[in-house]
């Protein structure tokens, strides 16, 4: 195909990229169209051949077919080829949008993708071929789960649980209100209208209302992610879109059953309510069970790190499918699975697996989202339509009105119970952010064909989706800026914030206990303690199970910095935000007075050196594993060793600053922003393959890493003799050695040097 | 009977105005105070210590100290009391009120500063206006006190890293000779800016009495 050419050309710049995209579009559509044509042809030729076969023996003595050097067998790869082509198209489109900067700032990605879908659908239609439609099975089984899993796994738990009441009220009561209001009003208007709309009965209207009233998580994610709104609003709208799935599922099945049966009794209504609880709680339970299974499995994966990410994905997918088997809410099951699994899995898996899980999830959900919007566009062009002005306009208007009324009404009630009240701005964003999306479309598609209003419903649903995604999606960003809604504050992890978050938790729990009423914090504290004493022991491997959260956070942060430093190169200084504050600025001043080292006699020095050299080999071996190249081969997946190593560095840094006698020496310590790892690089001054004896020589400024030691000291110190530097290094090594011994026991009991450290 | 009732009502009203609670809330807290103190006028540290629910709290000592800290009474006094009355109890509780819809931006700022001040006082035990490294270490140690020896080892490292972070955020360029004395209140405010104290540091004070709640005091 023309792809190789296209790939080479796409390096040439945005206008050419646009041209390439269009070219690819045409190719894809022609390909998928011609595939059908080709299929027909092969069928025809097969038929012809079977007709010929009886004649064949008579011709066998005739001409012999030449051996085919090059043959074409497209049918063999047809299906995977098409799928891959579609996905490739979707991703190239996405790529194209981000290269053209102006467009992506104004128009949200979802709109552009729908546009592309419309275009492709139009092209396929023009060739008069069958276009792939967003059928229900494809959507619900393949395209939706990755997005929901991604959302659920990375759900901000704290914000979610703090606002759980509000979210539930909006999800359940809000959706019910929307469904009944829209359904009822449409029925009313249809009765008045007469004409071709009279055939719409109440149950169909209510069914339609249900389908069109649910806020869609995919659309919300797609739009909200680009506007970076503050966490509270995000979690309110997004949480609602996730939890209303249970309501939607129940109502949908309810009304569909009834519209076949024809009549509704009170008993049915009660059954419906019972069904709601079963669906939602059952879904959550299924998800939780699979989540715990996944967590338990991850406890044993320390020897097979490579397949760890797969467990997360498979267990979650199984949770979704299992819930769907029983008509429970698959979305809630998936969310519950992700939420349950996450803390334990993250404690168990290696850092690389964690990164893999994160990236694969983001990748799959991104692809899914893109495909969904493109297919939505294609299906719009392809699908059966029955345009009815009244119905469609009515639907759009009613959706808006009911959403606004619902939000205002519910907020009024909720604010009586909330501590942090929702302001008018918040309400506006919530009402405006109630986007409909592909779930509504798929549910509409799922309607059985004997519902004669199906085409009309579908048209109306698509119009609503387009309206919300395109109009509301495009205008929400300028509105957010206009109203000066609080944005998400992008804060990197701060150890102070983490300390104080924990501190606050305990403080508030304590105050609640003094006050004597069992509030939110009390129960959270109880849950945490239960988790720590019983659950963690079963689900987390090794000693991580007793690690308090603060320490995990601290370790994670240190690891991140270590990675950053290694990546940024050994000789380079830490990047821009480096400050010149280091540990010695903080250590208590009084110890500085007593820092003068008693002078060491020459013989003692020799002794020290000998001892150190004996241990130096070990050090070198272990340290070498941390070179940039070896980091890929991972001997150090064991987190505990990493902790130890890190502590080693920290201790070494501190002791260095203590033992340097000459004041000017302190400038030797390079500027580090946090307690970190510059010394790590300095250690690389030891050359590989150098014999221990020969080490008595100066640290040579040969390898680039070695330069760091010498070059980082300000020029004024260049006059320092090699002896002094060596002494410094010897001291450093001594501390290192002591630290190793100390830290090999540090996790259980304080080592022998503990007291020495105390006095400083 | 009627006279004393109106007198206590007046007193409650006065307290409500001073601390910002509603009359209902003051009454409920008064009931709770009576429960804790056994209908006495004051409560002591031991009484608060004996609240069973607090037993599992790692920072229990600091919380109890905060009640007896004169700095939290907003009378510009320093030191600690041995026993506190209802008024002081209420004053400490008033730090945990949430903002309402009507709170203006300036009031929110003031509220945030007040809450941060409360936290600062909890950390700054020697009242020298700064949180020194030793004090901060103590804080982290207490936080991790329920986690055994792992906690103690890591506490120092964590406190050091935290202190370093405060120093480097607030005073980015220090010469190697300089010494960062401790975290001042301004630096403390700066470093915790992202936490939005006024919305996080609050508990729900009930308007309705919770007479069915267990007294919470040990019956020994």
């Amino acid at each position: 195909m023309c792809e190789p050419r296209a790939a080479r050309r796409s390096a040439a710049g945005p206008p050419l990229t646009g041209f390439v995209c269009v070219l690819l579009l045409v190719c894809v559509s022609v390909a998928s169209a011609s595939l059908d044509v080709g299929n027909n042809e092969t069928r025809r030729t097969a038929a012809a051949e079977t007709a010929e076969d009886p004649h064949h023996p008579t011709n066998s003595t005739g001409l012999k077919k030449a051996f085919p050097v090059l043959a074409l067998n497209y049918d063999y790869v047809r299906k995977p080829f098409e799928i891959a082509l579609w996905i490739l198209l979707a991703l190239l489109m996405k790529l194209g949008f981000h290269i053209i900067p102006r467009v992506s700032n104004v128009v949200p990605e979802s709109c552009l993708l729908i546009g592309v879908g419309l275009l492709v659908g139009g092209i396929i239609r023009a060739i008069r071929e069958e276009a792939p439609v967003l059928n229900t099975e494809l959507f619900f089984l393949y395209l939706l789960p990755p997005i929901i899993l991604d959302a659920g796994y990375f759900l901000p738990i704290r914000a979610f649980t703090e606002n759980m009441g509000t979210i539930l009220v909006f999800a359940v009561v809000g959706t019910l209100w929307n469904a009944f209001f829209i359904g009822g009003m449409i029925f009313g208007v249809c009765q008045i209208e007469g004409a071709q709309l009279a055939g719409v009965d109440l149950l169909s209207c209510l069914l339609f209302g249900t389908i069109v009233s649910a806020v869609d998580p995919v659309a919300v994610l797609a739009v909200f992610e680009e506007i970076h709104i503050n966490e509270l609003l995000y979690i309110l709208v997004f949480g609602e879109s996730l939890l209303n799935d249970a309501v939607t599922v129940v109502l949908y099945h309810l009304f569909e059953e009834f519209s076949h049966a024809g009549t509704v009794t009170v008993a049915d209504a009660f059954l419906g309510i019972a069904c709601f609880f079963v669906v939602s709680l059952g879904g959550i339970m299924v998800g939780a069970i699979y989540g715990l299974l996944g967590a338990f499995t991850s406890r044993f994966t320390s020897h097979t790190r490579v397949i760890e990410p797969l467990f997360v994905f498979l267990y979650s997918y199984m949770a979704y499918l299992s819930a769907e088997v029983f008509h429970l809410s698959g979305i809630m099951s998936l969310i519950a699975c992700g939420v349950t699994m996450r803390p334990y899995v993250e404690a168990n898996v290696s850092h690389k697996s964690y990164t893999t899980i994160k990236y694969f999830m983001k990748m799959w959900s991104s692809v899914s989202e893109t495909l969904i919007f493109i297919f939505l566009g294609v299906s719009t062009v392809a699908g059966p339509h029955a345009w009815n002005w009244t119905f469609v306009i009515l639907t759009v208007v009613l959706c808006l009105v009911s959403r606004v009324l619902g939000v205002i009404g519910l907020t009024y009630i909720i604010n009586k119970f909330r501590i942090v009240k929702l302001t008018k701005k918040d309400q506006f964003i919530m009402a405006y952010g109630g986007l409909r999306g592909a779930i509504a479309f798929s549910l509409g598609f799922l309607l059985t064909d004997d519902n004669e209003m199906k085409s009309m419903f579908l048209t109306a649903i698509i119009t609503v989706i387009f309206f919300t995604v395109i109009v509301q999606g495009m205008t929400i960003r300028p509105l957010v800026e206009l109203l000066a809604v609080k944005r998400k504050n992008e804060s990197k992890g701060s150890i102070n914030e983490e300390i104080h978050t924990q501190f606050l938790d305990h403080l508030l729990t304590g105050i609640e206990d003094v006050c004597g009423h069992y509030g939110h914090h009390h129960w959270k504290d109880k849950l945490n303690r239960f988790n720590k004493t019983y659950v963690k022991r079963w689900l987390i491997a090794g000693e991580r199970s007793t690690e308090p959260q603060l320490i995990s956070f601290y370790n994670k942060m240190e690891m991140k910095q270590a990675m950053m430093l290694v990546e940024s190169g050994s000789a380079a200084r830490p990047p821009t935000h480096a400050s010149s504050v280091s540990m010695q600025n903080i250590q208590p001043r009084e110890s500085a007075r007593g820092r003068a080292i008693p002078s060491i006699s020459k013989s003692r020095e020799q002794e020290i050196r000998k001892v150190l050299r004996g241990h130096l080999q070990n050090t070198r071996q272990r340290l070498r594993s941390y070179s940039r190249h070896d980091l890929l081969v991972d001997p150090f997946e064991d987190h505990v060793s990493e902790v130890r190593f890190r502590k080693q560095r920290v201790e070494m840094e501190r002791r260095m600053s203590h033992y340097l006698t000459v004041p000017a020496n302190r400038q030797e310590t390079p500027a580090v922003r946090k307690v970190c790892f510059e010394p790590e690089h300095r250690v690389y001054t030891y050359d590989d393959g150098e014999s221990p004896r020969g080490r008595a020589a100066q640290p040579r400024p040969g390898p680039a890493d070695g330069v760091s030691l010498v070059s980082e000291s300000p020029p004024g110190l260049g006059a320092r003799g090699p002896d002094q530097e060596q002494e410094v290094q010897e001291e450093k090594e001594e501390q290192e050695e002591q630290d190793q011994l100390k830290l090999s026991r540090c996790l259980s009991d304080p080592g022998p040097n503990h007291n020495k450290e105390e006095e400083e | 009977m009627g006279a004393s009732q109106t007198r206590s009502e007046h007193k409650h009203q006065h307290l409500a105005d001073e601390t910002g609670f509603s009359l209902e809330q003051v009454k409920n807290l008064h009931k709770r105070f009576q429960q804790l103190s056994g209908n006495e006028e004051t409560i002591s540290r031991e009484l608060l210590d004996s609240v069973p629910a607090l037993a599992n709290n790692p920072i229990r000592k600091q919380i109890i100290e905060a009640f007896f800290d004169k700095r939290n009474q907003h009378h510009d006094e320093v030191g600690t009391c041995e026993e506190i009355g209802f008024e002081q109890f209420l004053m400490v509780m008033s730090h945990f009120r949430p903002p309402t819809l009507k709170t203006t931006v300036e009031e929110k700022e003031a509220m945030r500063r007040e809450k941060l001040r409360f936290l600062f006082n909890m950390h700054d035990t020697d009242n020298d206006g700064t949180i020194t490294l030793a004090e901060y270490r103590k804080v982290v140690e207490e936080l991790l006190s329920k986690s055994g020896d792992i906690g103690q080892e890591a506490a120092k490292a964590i406190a050091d890293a935290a202190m370093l972070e405060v120093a480097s955020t607030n005073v980015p360029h220090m010469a190697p000779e300089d010494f960062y004395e401790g975290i001042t209140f301004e630096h403390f405010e700066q470093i915790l800016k992202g936490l939005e104290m006024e919305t996080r540091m609050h508990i729900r004070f009930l308007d309705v009495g919770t007479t069915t709640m267990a007294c919470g005091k040990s019956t020994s």
Side-chain angles (χ1 to χ4, degrees):
Chain A
M1 304 224 16
C2 52
E3 265 156 273
R5 248 189 301 142
R8 251 176 278 136
R9 254 194 256 160
S10 59
L16 277 176
T17 317
F19 173 67
V20 159
C21 291
V22 173
L23 199 63
L24 197 64
L25 256 177
V26 176
C27 292
V28 165
S29 23
V30 167
S32 47
S34 66
L35 295 172
D36 284 328
V37 174
N39 208 9
N40 292 338
E41 273 181 13
T42 44
R43 261 184 260 128
R44 264 181 264 126
T45 45
E49 264 177 33
T50 48
E52 269 175 24
D53 257 345
H55 304 295
H56 210 80
T58 60
N59 288 349
S60 57
T61 51
L63 35 87
K64 188 176 102 161
K65 257 183 2 181
F67 182 76
V69 175
L70 200 62
L72 191 70
N73 185 2
Y74 186 69
D75 278 335
Y76 183 58
V77 296
R78 179 166 175 229
K79 203 156 170 53
F81 194 85
E82 268 182 25
I83 295 176
L85 208 56
W86 273 107
I87 299 182
L88 192 61
L89 164 75
L91 297 175
L92 282 172
M93 289 298 117
K94 208 170 154 93
L95 197 71
F97 298 148
H98 287 285
I99 294 185
I100 309 173
R102 277 170 287 119
V103 182
S104 60
N105 280 340
V106 176
V107 187
E109 205 176 274
S110 37
C111 304
L112 292 170
L113 289 170
I114 292 185
V116 168
L118 286 172
L119 204 60
V120 174
I123 295 178
I124 294 186
R125 188 102 178 256
I127 315 183
R128 288 175 209 298
E129 280 307 329
E130 275 295 316
V133 185
L134 187 67
N135 67 357
T136 313
E137 185 190 304
L138 173 69
F139 178 72
F140 276 114
L141 290 184
Y142 299 110
L143 290 179
L144 187 63
I147 302 181
I148 303 294
L149 177 61
D150 179 40
Y153 196 80
F154 293 109
L155 200 65
I157 294 294
R158 186 177 278 267
F160 190 70
T161 48
E162 276 175 11
N163 295 295
M164 179 71 93
T166 315
I167 295 177
L168 274 175
V169 167
F170 272 109
V172 177
V173 180
T175 312
L176 280 173
W177 155 260
N178 279 345
F180 281 102
F181 183 74
I182 295 177
M185 292 296 284
I186 286 194
F187 180 63
V189 173
C190 284
Q191 297 300 89
I192 301 176
E193 195 53 29
Q196 71 266 53
L197 290 180
V200 185
D201 61 328
L202 179 63
L203 279 169
S204 298
C205 279
L206 286 174
L207 185 56
F208 177 72
T210 311
I211 298 177
V212 95
S213 68
V215 178
D216 184 82
V218 179
V220 165
L221 262 178
V223 170
F224 270 47
E225 232 168 65
E226 294 185 359
I227 59 180
H228 297 300
I229 210 160
N230 69 48
E231 200 177 52
L232 173 67
L233 280 178
Y234 168 78
I235 201 66
L236 282 178
V237 180
F238 184 65
E240 179 197 342
S241 69
L242 287 177
L243 293 187
N244 68 16
D245 180 61
V247 180
T248 313
V249 163
V250 170
L251 280 180
Y252 182 83
H253 287 297
L254 211 65
F255 288 136
E256 232 209 337
E257 286 294 318
F258 294 162
S259 64
H260 287 306
T263 54
V264 187
T265 64
V266 181
D268 290 327
F270 276 116
L271 279 179
I273 297 180
C275 183
F276 166 71
F277 283 107
V278 167
V279 161
S280 50
L281 293 175
I284 294 180
M285 232 174 50
V286 169
I289 291 176
Y290 273 100
L292 289 175
L293 274 177
F296 190 63
T297 311
S298 73
R299 183 180 165 184
F300 301 105
T301 55
S302 49
H303 299 292
T304 45
R305 296 280 185 195
V306 189
I307 56 174
E308 269 172 347
L310 265 180
F311 281 118
V312 171
F313 297 127
L314 285 175
Y315 274 109
S316 314
Y317 196 44
M318 294 280 289
Y320 180 77
L321 294 176
S322 308
E324 288 289 324
V325 166
F326 298 105
H327 272 231
L328 303 173
S329 166
I331 290 185
M332 293 183 83
S333 157
L334 204 47
I335 304 276
C337 182
V339 165
T340 318
M341 208 184 338
R342 185 181 181 198
Y344 309 109
V345 162
E346 280 192 357
N348 280 330
V349 299
S350 67
H351 187 76
K352 290 206 191 106
S353 297
Y354 168 70
T355 311
T356 310
I357 293 176
K358 190 165 96 164
Y359 273 95
F360 260 82
M361 260 196 229
K362 298 280 176 207
M363 183 185 82
W364 264 324
S365 70
S366 182
V367 170
S368 271
E369 195 180 294
T370 315
L371 277 175
I372 287 179
F373 283 115
I374 290 190
F375 273 127
L376 205 53
V378 173
S379 311
T380 310
V381 176
H385 288 300
W387 182 271
N388 182 317
W389 278 102
T390 332
F391 193 74
V392 170
I393 305 265
L394 188 65
T395 313
V396 175
V397 169
L398 276 179
C399 278
L400 284 174
V401 168
S402 83
R403 176 79 182 160
V404 170
L405 285 178
V407 167
I408 294 184
L410 285 175
T411 315
Y412 180 73
I413 301 176
I414 286 176
N415 267 346
K416 295 201 196 299
F417 297 99
R418 276 181 71 90
I419 296 193
V420 180
K421 318 279 183 189
L422 295 173
T423 63
K424 291 231 184 310
K425 259 192 245 171
D426 295 334
Q427 291 175 42
F428 176 75
I429 296 291
M430 285 186 68
Y432 208 69
L435 308 174
R436 276 46 166 197
I439 289 189
F441 179 79
S442 304
L443 284 176
F445 216 79
L446 197 56
L447 284 174
T448 50
D449 274 316
D450 58 346
N451 190 337
E452 64 267 13
M453 295 290 128
K454 180 173 167 179
S455 325
M456 195 169 69
F457 284 175
L458 266 180
T459 314
I461 292 173
I462 288 187
T463 317
V464 171
I465 294 177
F466 274 34
F467 182 80
T468 54
V469 172
I470 295 181
V471 173
Q472 282 178 232
M474 254 202 283
T475 52
I476 200 169
R477 198 198 302 228
L479 275 173
V480 160
E481 284 171 18
L482 192 69
L483 292 175
V485 179
K486 223 171 358 166
R487 297 300 193 93
K488 179 158 64 166
N489 53 346
E490 310 277 358
S491 59
K492 316 171 259 242
S494 152
I495 187 79
N496 278 293
E497 283 188 4
E498 181 68 18
I499 291 178
H500 280 95
T501 311
Q502 300 250 331
F503 192 83
L504 260 185
D505 273 345
H506 290 299
L507 174 65
L508 293 175
T509 312
I511 298 284
E512 269 187 6
D513 291 330
V514 169
C515 261
H517 71 258
Y518 298 145
H520 181 82
H521 294 277
H522 180 94
W523 294 117
K524 201 159 74 157
D525 188 57
K526 267 212 159 85
L527 185 66
N528 277 339
R529 269 188 284 129
F530 173 74
N531 191 14
K532 199 159 84 162
T533 35
Y534 298 112
V535 183
K536 273 192 181 169
R537 256 191 296 160
W538 283 102
L539 297 180
I540 300 186
E543 21 185 279
R544 296 291 299 277
S545 60
T546 49
E547 197 177 63
Q549 194 189 339
L550 187 57
I551 298 186
S552 322
F553 181 85
Y554 174 67
N555 289 338
K556 259 193 221 148
M557 256 188 40
E558 296 288 287
M559 172 111 76
K560 250 190 270 175
Q561 282 170 29
M563 296 280 182
M564 249 172 38
L565 258 167
V566 171
E567 279 170 23
S568 71
S570 54
R573 287 193 163 251
T576 50
H577 49 257
S579 70
S580 58
V581 181
S582 67
M583 279 310 296
Q584 69 207 42
N585 294 111
I586 297 180
Q587 294 299 332
R589 191 47 91 117
E590 42 282 353
S591 57
R593 310 280 172 258
R595 266 187 224 178
I597 289 185
S599 54
I600 303 182
S601 66
K602 220 36 175 172
S603 57
R604 179 89 180 119
E605 205 180 293
Q606 297 283 11
E607 260 184 72
I608 293 175
R609 277 198 215 149
K610 218 185 296 178
V611 168
L612 287 176
R613 248 170 256 134
H615 291 272
L616 196 58
Q617 282 287 29
N618 292 345
T619 312
R620 236 196 293 158
Q621 296 293 33
R622 225 190 288 179
L623 291 173
R624 272 192 49 208
S625 318
Y626 267 73
S627 81
R628 217 181 315 164
H629 306 290
D630 286 340
L631 201 58
L632 300 174
V633 179
D634 58 30
F636 269 73
E637 274 311 319
D638 187 0
H639 196 83
V640 174
S641 313
E642 290 181 70
V643 172
R644 224 179 281 167
F645 185 72
R646 229 173 287 124
K647 288 190 184 177
Q648 218 170 347
R649 298 271 75 73
V650 171
E651 293 302 327
M652 205 178 77
E653 160 80 6
R654 286 182 39 190
R655 286 180 181 272
M656 263 222 48
S657 51
H658 287 201
Y659 277 84
L660 297 174
T661 55
V662 181
N665 283 1
R666 274 197 229 135
Q667 294 180 16
E668 187 98 23
T669 316
V672 288
R673 180 166 177 263
K674 308 222 182 217
V675 178
C676 70
F677 308 104
E678 210 59 359
E680 182 183 343
H681 306 297
R682 216 180 299 136
V683 175
Y684 290 167
T685 60
Y686 310 138
D687 271 327
D688 314 336
E690 197 183 2
S691 83
R693 296 291 141 202
R695 270 219 61 275
Q698 305 49 328
R700 63 188 68 152
D705 304 306
V707 173
S708 63
L709 177 58
V710 178
S711 65
E712 273 170 5
S713 18
L717 291 185
R720 283 185 75 216
D723 267 337
Q724 264 186 325
E725 287 188 340
Q726 212 171 354
E727 187 180 292
V728 165
Q729 283 196 355
E730 299 291 8
E731 290 302 332
K732 206 170 49 183
E733 291 160 38
E734 181 186 336
Q735 293 321 311
E736 217 172 280
E737 183 231 346
Q738 286 177 352
D739 290 330
Q740 278 177 44
L741 293 175
K742 171 182 185 283
L743 290 166
S744 65
R745 288 175 248 131
C746 79
L747 289 180
S748 45
D749 52 0
N753 291 327
H754 194 75
N755 293 331
K756 193 165 169 194
E757 195 182 288
E758 284 303 90
E759 83 197 6
E760 283 153 3
Chain B
M1 191 50 191
S4 68
Q5 213 169 19
T6 44
R7 227 182 312 133
S8 61
E9 287 236 350
H10 276 299
K11 195 151 164 269
H12 285 179
Q13 186 59 50
H14 170 72
L15 283 173
D17 294 331
E18 202 178 292
T19 55
F21 282 118
S22 76
L23 196 56
E24 280 301 317
Q25 290 170 335
V26 174
K27 286 209 186 112
N28 286 322
L29 285 170
H30 188 69
K31 252 187 252 164
R32 176 62 179 168
F33 186 81
Q34 305 281 50
Q35 268 179 351
L36 282 176
S37 69
N39 287 327
E40 299 285 322
E41 284 297 316
T42 59
I43 50 180
S44 64
R45 283 191 179 81
E46 291 74 34
L47 272 168
L48 277 184
D49 221 3
S50 61
V51 173
L54 274 183
N56 284 314
N57 203 316
I59 56 171
R60 182 180 51 160
K61 278 203 272 319
Q62 273 91 327
I63 297 179
I64 296 179
E65 269 309 308
F67 275 96
F68 294 89
D69 192 339
K70 281 196 192 154
R71 286 175 294 176
N72 291 329
Q73 297 300 326
H74 298 297
H75 292 318
D76 291 329
E77 294 170 353
V78 293
T80 59
C81 325
E82 280 310 310
E83 299 195 331
I84 56 170
F86 180 57
E87 201 175 317
Q88 285 91 353
F89 182 76
L90 207 60
M91 202 61 191
V92 170
M93 286 299 183
S94 76
H95 288 97
F96 294 94
R97 275 183 335 139
T100 66
L101 264 177
K102 301 192 198 61
T103 330
T104 64
V105 177
E106 297 86 33
E107 282 174 10
K108 276 204 186 124
E109 272 299 311
M111 208 179 225
R112 182 197 299 207
R113 197 160 291 130
E114 193 181 304
K115 295 183 199 253
L116 280 173
R117 188 85 226 176
F118 186 84
L119 279 182
F120 191 81
N121 288 343
M122 281 183 85
H123 296 328
D124 182 21
T125 42
D126 60 0
N127 194 27
D128 61 352
T130 58
I131 306 178
T132 60
L133 184 61
E135 284 170 346
Y136 211 5
R137 274 189 189 158
K138 186 108 196 348
V139 170
V140 180
E141 267 170 29
E142 288 293 318
L143 258 187
L144 294 174
S145 58
K146 296 275 172 191
S147 320
D149 282 319
I150 302 183
Q152 299 313 305
E153 282 302 319
K156 261 199 268 309
I158 294 178
D160 290 346
M163 193 82 168
L164 195 53
E165 191 183 80
V166 179
S168 43
T169 326
N170 285 308
V171 195
H173 298 290
M174 291 176 72
E177 260 81 58
D178 291 345
F179 180 58
Y180 184 67
E181 294 289 339
I183 309 179
T184 62
F185 185 61
E186 286 75 32
H187 294 176
F188 192 68
E189 264 184 295
Q190 181 67 24
I191 200 75
L192 290 184
K193 204 168 47 169
L195 277 186
E196 285 180 14
M197 269 317 154
E198 72 271 14
T199 46
R200 288 186 77 144
M201 184 165 145
H202 61 74
I203 66 171
R204 190 185 288 276
F205 289 103
L206 303 175
D207 284 325
V208 187
T210 54
T211 46
T212 51
M213 286 295 173
C215 154
K217 197 171 71 135
S218 63
T219 49
S220 57

